[in-house]
């Protein structure tokens, strides 16, 4: 068991397979976010690249289907992974999530494929 909480990047399809449909992208983000509670409940801190990248895009006057998106979405995940301790790769085709897994493996980070694989953290007693 681990006493230090891990920062875990949740990776999976966001734009993939949506053909730019905002409702389909929202549904994909919902699936990514559904994994956030189990990660948190295991004593860790979940993060999703789109939580950071989408506000960056909006501040540039762009959205997830704009040409600028590739220059923000993928690099955001890459930069987040410099701070993450692990990746949770959810099912589904996704070039970006596959890149996240490859980056994590190059850096020697664990890659989990189901929330049940994530080790529960030993909570520290309140003082």
């Amino acid at each position: 068991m681990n006493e230090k909480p891990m920062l875990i990047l949740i990776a999976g399809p966001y734009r993939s397979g949506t053909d730019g449909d905002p409702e389909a992208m929202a549904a994909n983000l919902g699936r990514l976010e559904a994994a956030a509670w189990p990660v948190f409940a295991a004593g860790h801190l979940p993060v999703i690249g789109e939580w950071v990248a989408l506000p960056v895009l909006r501040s540039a006057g762009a959205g997830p289907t704009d040409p600028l998106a590739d220059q923000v979405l993928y690099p955001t995940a890459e930069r987040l992974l410099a701070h993450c301790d692990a990746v949770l790769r959810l099912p589904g085709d996704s070039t970006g999530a596959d890149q996240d897994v490859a980056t994590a493996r190059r850096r020697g980070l664990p890659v989990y494929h189901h929330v049940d694989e994530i080790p529960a953290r030993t909570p520290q007693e309140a003082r």
Side-chain angles (χ1 to χ4, degrees), residues 41-104:
H44 305 290
L45 186 62
V47 65
I48 297 171
E50 285 75 15
W51 288 347
V52 177
L54 293 175
V56 170
L57 279 171
R58 281 193 297 274
S59 72
T65 59
D66 287 299
L68 182 62
D70 284 344
Q71 298 173 43
V72 174
L73 289 169
Y74 298 140
T76 295
E78 175 81 20
R79 292 176 191 183
L80 274 173
L81 278 166
H83 301 278
C84 289
D85 302 298
V87 170
L88 172 61
R89 174 59 162 101
L90 299 183
D93 292 337
S94 171
T95 300
D98 291 344
Q99 288 175 359
D100 297 342
V101 166
T103 299

Side-chain angles (χ1 to χ4, degrees), residues 3 23 81 86:
E3 289 190 30
E23 288 181 17
L81 278 166

Side-chain angles (χ1 to χ4, degrees), residues 30-48:
R31 281 188 284 283
L32 292 168
E33 290 178 343
W37 171 249
V39 170
F40 187 83
H44 305 290
L45 186 62
V47 65
I48 297 171

